[in-house]
mmCIF file of all heavy atoms in Angstrom:
data_model
loop_
_atom_site.group_PDB
_atom_site.id
_atom_site.type_symbol
_atom_site.label_atom_id
_atom_site.label_comp_id
_atom_site.label_asym_id
_atom_site.label_seq_id
_atom_site.Cartn_x
_atom_site.Cartn_y
_atom_site.Cartn_z
ATOM 1 N N GLY A 13 76.860 83.829 66.357
ATOM 2 C CA GLY A 13 76.254 82.802 65.522
ATOM 3 C C GLY A 13 76.117 83.169 64.062
ATOM 4 O O GLY A 13 75.811 82.317 63.231
ATOM 5 N N LEU A 17 82.687 85.498 58.024
ATOM 6 C CA LEU A 17 83.720 85.062 57.084
ATOM 7 C C LEU A 17 83.701 83.540 57.004
ATOM 8 O O LEU A 17 83.718 82.862 58.024
ATOM 9 C CB LEU A 17 85.109 85.539 57.544
ATOM 10 C CG LEU A 17 85.326 87.056 57.621
ATOM 11 C CD1 LEU A 17 86.710 87.362 58.160
ATOM 12 C CD2 LEU A 17 85.129 87.714 56.266
ATOM 13 N N LEU A 44 89.459 92.678 57.034
ATOM 14 C CA LEU A 44 90.556 93.629 57.252
ATOM 15 C C LEU A 44 90.932 93.686 58.738
ATOM 16 O O LEU A 44 92.104 93.681 59.093
ATOM 17 C CB LEU A 44 90.120 95.019 56.767
ATOM 18 C CG LEU A 44 91.225 96.037 56.568
ATOM 19 C CD1 LEU A 44 92.025 95.712 55.317
ATOM 20 C CD2 LEU A 44 90.657 97.443 56.467
ATOM 21 N N SER A 55 88.767 80.445 63.430
ATOM 22 C CA SER A 55 89.640 79.365 62.976
ATOM 23 C C SER A 55 90.341 79.803 61.709
ATOM 24 O O SER A 55 90.056 80.868 61.163
ATOM 25 C CB SER A 55 88.812 78.104 62.710
ATOM 26 O OG SER A 55 87.900 78.357 61.661
ATOM 27 N N LYS A 68 97.098 83.404 70.713
ATOM 28 C CA LYS A 68 97.291 83.273 72.158
ATOM 29 C C LYS A 68 98.757 83.446 72.546
ATOM 30 O O LYS A 68 99.065 83.911 73.631
ATOM 31 C CB LYS A 68 96.789 81.905 72.626
ATOM 32 C CG LYS A 68 95.269 81.814 72.503
ATOM 33 C CD LYS A 68 94.666 80.964 73.603
ATOM 34 C CE LYS A 68 93.154 81.038 73.592
ATOM 35 N NZ LYS A 68 92.581 80.541 72.315
ATOM 36 N N ARG A 76 101.058 94.267 65.368
ATOM 37 C CA ARG A 76 100.329 95.479 64.972
ATOM 38 C C ARG A 76 101.263 96.649 64.696
ATOM 39 O O ARG A 76 100.947 97.517 63.891
ATOM 40 C CB ARG A 76 99.334 95.879 66.067
ATOM 41 C CG ARG A 76 98.187 94.903 66.227
ATOM 42 C CD ARG A 76 97.110 95.512 67.098
ATOM 43 N NE ARG A 76 96.097 94.532 67.461
ATOM 44 C CZ ARG A 76 95.960 94.032 68.687
ATOM 45 N NH1 ARG A 76 96.753 94.416 69.657
ATOM 46 N NH2 ARG A 76 95.017 93.146 68.931
ATOM 47 N N MET A 79 101.823 97.028 61.151
ATOM 48 C CA MET A 79 100.678 97.167 60.253
ATOM 49 C C MET A 79 99.926 98.439 60.603
ATOM 50 O O MET A 79 99.324 98.541 61.655
ATOM 51 C CB MET A 79 99.722 95.988 60.437
ATOM 52 C CG MET A 79 100.379 94.643 60.275
ATOM 53 S SD MET A 79 99.144 93.361 60.458
ATOM 54 C CE MET A 79 98.749 93.061 58.778
ATOM 55 N N VAL A 82 94.023 102.531 59.058
ATOM 56 C CA VAL A 82 93.312 103.804 58.907
ATOM 57 C C VAL A 82 91.820 103.494 58.958
ATOM 58 O O VAL A 82 91.348 102.591 58.266
ATOM 59 C CB VAL A 82 93.691 104.490 57.580
ATOM 60 C CG1 VAL A 82 92.859 105.744 57.362
ATOM 61 C CG2 VAL A 82 95.178 104.832 57.576
ATOM 62 N N ASP A 115 111.107 115.193 64.308
ATOM 63 C CA ASP A 115 111.678 115.420 62.970
ATOM 64 C C ASP A 115 111.017 114.506 61.949
ATOM 65 O O ASP A 115 110.617 114.939 60.864
ATOM 66 C CB ASP A 115 113.195 115.150 62.989
ATOM 67 C CG ASP A 115 113.930 116.204 63.807
ATOM 68 O OD1 ASP A 115 113.314 117.263 64.084
ATOM 69 O OD2 ASP A 115 115.094 115.964 64.180
ATOM 70 N N PHE A 160 93.386 99.964 55.149
ATOM 71 C CA PHE A 160 92.445 101.096 55.111
ATOM 72 C C PHE A 160 91.021 100.559 55.171
ATOM 73 O O PHE A 160 90.608 99.799 54.308
ATOM 74 C CB PHE A 160 92.612 101.898 53.810
ATOM 75 C CG PHE A 160 93.939 102.583 53.674
ATOM 76 C CD1 PHE A 160 95.044 101.897 53.192
ATOM 77 C CD2 PHE A 160 94.083 103.917 54.028
ATOM 78 C CE1 PHE A 160 96.273 102.527 53.061
ATOM 79 C CE2 PHE A 160 95.307 104.560 53.898
ATOM 80 C CZ PHE A 160 96.403 103.866 53.418
ATOM 81 N N ALA A 166 83.362 108.474 55.316
ATOM 82 C CA ALA A 166 82.751 109.450 56.221
ATOM 83 C C ALA A 166 83.015 110.884 55.770
ATOM 84 O O ALA A 166 82.738 111.824 56.492
ATOM 85 C CB ALA A 166 83.290 109.241 57.638
ATOM 86 N N LYS A 180 97.328 107.337 46.826
ATOM 87 C CA LYS A 180 97.993 107.040 45.553
ATOM 88 C C LYS A 180 99.494 107.224 45.674
ATOM 89 O O LYS A 180 100.288 106.408 45.193
ATOM 90 C CB LYS A 180 97.475 107.991 44.456
ATOM 91 C CG LYS A 180 96.263 107.473 43.716
ATOM 92 C CD LYS A 180 95.840 108.482 42.656
ATOM 93 C CE LYS A 180 94.324 108.455 42.525
ATOM 94 N NZ LYS A 180 93.817 109.590 41.742
ATOM 95 N N LEU A 182 101.275 106.944 48.289
ATOM 96 C CA LEU A 182 101.800 105.826 49.079
ATOM 97 C C LEU A 182 101.989 104.593 48.201
ATOM 98 O O LEU A 182 103.011 103.904 48.285
ATOM 99 C CB LEU A 182 100.803 105.468 50.181
ATOM 100 C CG LEU A 182 101.060 105.962 51.587
ATOM 101 C CD1 LEU A 182 99.947 105.484 52.490
ATOM 102 C CD2 LEU A 182 102.396 105.456 52.080
ATOM 103 N N MET A 189 99.425 97.638 50.446
ATOM 104 C CA MET A 189 98.185 98.220 50.959
ATOM 105 C C MET A 189 96.990 97.294 50.754
ATOM 106 O O MET A 189 96.846 96.700 49.693
ATOM 107 C CB MET A 189 97.899 99.559 50.246
ATOM 108 C CG MET A 189 98.939 100.633 50.534
ATOM 109 S SD MET A 189 98.949 101.992 49.340
ATOM 110 C CE MET A 189 97.544 102.954 49.864
ATOM 111 N N ALA A 199 90.011 102.250 42.707
ATOM 112 C CA ALA A 199 90.391 100.837 42.584
ATOM 113 C C ALA A 199 90.917 100.551 41.181
ATOM 114 O O ALA A 199 91.945 99.907 40.995
ATOM 115 C CB ALA A 199 89.195 99.951 42.899
ATOM 116 N N ALA A 210 81.325 88.325 48.914
ATOM 117 C CA ALA A 210 79.869 88.265 49.050
ATOM 118 C C ALA A 210 79.534 87.179 50.069
ATOM 119 O O ALA A 210 80.073 86.074 49.986
ATOM 120 C CB ALA A 210 79.212 87.965 47.702
ATOM 121 N N GLU A 216 85.434 86.664 43.628
ATOM 122 C CA GLU A 216 86.223 86.991 42.449
ATOM 123 C C GLU A 216 87.477 87.737 42.872
ATOM 124 O O GLU A 216 87.470 88.505 43.824
ATOM 125 C CB GLU A 216 85.401 87.837 41.470
ATOM 126 C CG GLU A 216 86.093 88.033 40.139
ATOM 127 C CD GLU A 216 85.100 88.127 38.969
ATOM 128 O OE1 GLU A 216 83.891 88.104 39.210
ATOM 129 O OE2 GLU A 216 85.576 88.218 37.826
ATOM 130 N N THR A 232 79.236 89.657 40.733
ATOM 131 C CA THR A 232 80.160 90.790 40.590
ATOM 132 C C THR A 232 79.591 91.778 39.593
ATOM 133 O O THR A 232 79.566 92.988 39.805
ATOM 134 C CB THR A 232 81.526 90.304 40.084
ATOM 135 O OG1 THR A 232 81.917 89.173 40.836
ATOM 136 C CG2 THR A 232 82.573 91.383 40.213
ATOM 137 N N GLN A 237 77.330 96.958 38.442
ATOM 138 C CA GLN A 237 76.288 97.769 37.793
ATOM 139 C C GLN A 237 75.652 98.741 38.781
ATOM 140 O O GLN A 237 75.349 99.882 38.447
ATOM 141 C CB GLN A 237 75.194 96.850 37.233
ATOM 142 C CG GLN A 237 75.405 96.527 35.768
ATOM 143 C CD GLN A 237 74.516 95.387 35.303
ATOM 144 O OE1 GLN A 237 73.563 95.009 36.000
ATOM 145 N NE2 GLN A 237 74.822 94.838 34.142
#
Side-chain angles (χ1 to χ4, degrees):
Chain A
L17 297 177
L44 196 74
S55 63
K68 292 214 172 61
R76 292 192 190 109
M79 305 182 96
V82 175
D115 291 344
F160 295 84
K180 270 180 214 168
L182 259 180
M189 295 161 78
E216 189 147 4
T232 313
Q237 265 167 14

